[in-house]
Amino acid sequence: MSFGQQGPQDPYGSHAPDTPDWAALADASAARARRKRWMYIGGGVLATAAVGAIVATAVVSAGNSNTGPDNTASQLPTPENLPAETGGPGPSFSSQAPPPPPDPKEFISSAKKDKAPLSADTLFPGKKLTMGGRAYAKGATSRTTSCSAATQGALGSVLANNGCDQVIRATYSKGGVAVTVGVAVFDTAAQAEKAKEQASGGLASLPGAGVPTFCRAGAICRKTANAYGRYAYFTVGGFTNGKNVTEADQDVFKTGDDLAEFTFRQIHQRGKTQASAAAAAGQ
């Protein structure tokens, strides 16, 4: 046996590995990467399909289910239970026009409708009268059922023949001029109009309450006559010193016109007041 020196021993012996096949390793790595990518893609497709299936199932369930507190379809009324009309009743309008307001003149044209209180105080209220900035002091007033006693000349018979019921008078004065206005009352407007047309003579002046006798004993005075409704109204005016009135005496004319206008307004107001009361009462 020979124990001569031996060379270095190979640790792998006869099984020592060969040089690595780098190309094969690269192919294997690429294959593994492709498998992972397809797994990711496949997983996403499966997840999408699963979500779609869930949504489809929910839609089908909602369409087929008739129970459950969250089922909106089950809470809607069926077509046969829906109301025929969804709106409330509309406003209704009468085809008949409302009646016109009462005519004030209608109430003062007949004693049957003219029922408001009538006196010297209602026709000629207060202690003075102002028209157009002109103030007149009120003197005496009078009311009589003997119509002829409040007149001069033929006017008394004219009033009586047409059915005069009463005469109400009042006197106003200013600056030496005095005018008496008198209202003759009839049952109808036709009687009052006829009395105005037939008027002759005149109203008797009414002195007193600081106004002396005027327009008597043949003195020339200014006289007027008019009618409105069932009332005929007259004026007589002149100077308190007995002077005759001429056309140049415009103060006398203006005073008489103011009193005639005021009397007309008072009569018309009677009609308005009674017409308004009738309208409020629905008559």
Side-chain angles (χ1 to χ4, degrees):
M1 169 183 282
S2 172
F3 291 95
Q5 183 179 2
Q6 296 180 355
Q9 188 177 358
D10 185 355
Y12 294 99
S14 60
H15 299 288
D18 298 329
T19 302
D21 189 349
W22 299 108
L25 291 175
D27 291 340
S29 176
R32 285 194 300 271
R34 284 195 298 272
R35 284 197 300 272
K36 289 182 180 180
R37 185 167 62 252
W38 281 112
M39 287 178 66
Y40 293 149
I41 294 175
V45 171
L46 290 176
T48 302
V51 172
I54 292 172
V55 172
T57 302
V59 170
V60 172
S61 299
N64 293 336
S65 176
N66 291 324
T67 62
D70 296 330
N71 184 14
T72 304
S74 64
Q75 299 175 7
L76 297 175
T78 57
E80 59 270 17
N81 293 330
L82 290 174
E85 297 182 1
T86 57
S92 60
F93 300 94
S94 174
S95 59
Q96 185 177 5
D103 182 1
K105 192 174 181 180
E106 178 183 345
F107 287 85
I108 55 171
S109 294
S110 171
K112 294 180 179 179
K113 300 194 70 171
D114 188 8
K115 300 296 185 180
L118 178 62
S119 67
D121 289 336
T122 61
L123 282 177
F124 308 110
K127 295 182 178 180
K128 67 178 182 178
L129 166 65
T130 301
M131 293 286 290
R134 296 173 294 276
Y136 304 99
K138 187 169 78 171
T141 62
S142 172
R143 176 181 178 272
T144 179
T145 57
S146 177
C147 297
S148 60
T151 66
Q152 296 185 96
L155 184 59
S157 60
V158 170
L159 298 183
N161 291 339
N162 286 287
C164 177
D165 178 67
Q166 59 182 304
V167 175
I168 301 173
R169 290 180 294 168
T171 296
Y172 292 84
S173 64
K174 177 179 181 296
V177 173
V179 173
T180 294
V181 57
V183 178
V185 185
F186 300 85
D187 284 342
T188 67
Q191 292 173 313
E193 182 65 24
K194 190 174 181 180
K196 181 204 78 171
E197 293 174 354
Q198 296 176 349
S200 179
L203 189 70
S205 63
L206 180 64
V211 178
T213 301
F214 65 101
C215 293
R216 299 288 181 93
I220 298 175
C221 292
R222 195 235 181 173
K223 302 173 185 178
T224 68
N226 215 321
Y228 185 60
R230 69 185 187 108
Y231 303 91
Y233 53 99
F234 308 89
T235 67
V236 56
F239 294 103
T240 57
N241 62 7
K243 176 186 173 182
N244 290 333
V245 176
T246 68
E247 292 183 357
D249 296 317
Q250 291 301 306
D251 288 347
V252 176
F253 282 78
K254 178 57 66 178
T255 301
D257 290 345
D258 282 347
L259 289 180
E261 175 66 19
F262 174 75
T263 302
F264 167 80
R265 294 181 185 181
Q266 289 295 96
I267 296 171
H268 183 67
Q269 185 59 46
R270 284 179 59 83
K272 288 180 63 177
T273 300
Q274 294 178 91
S276 298
Q283 299 178 358

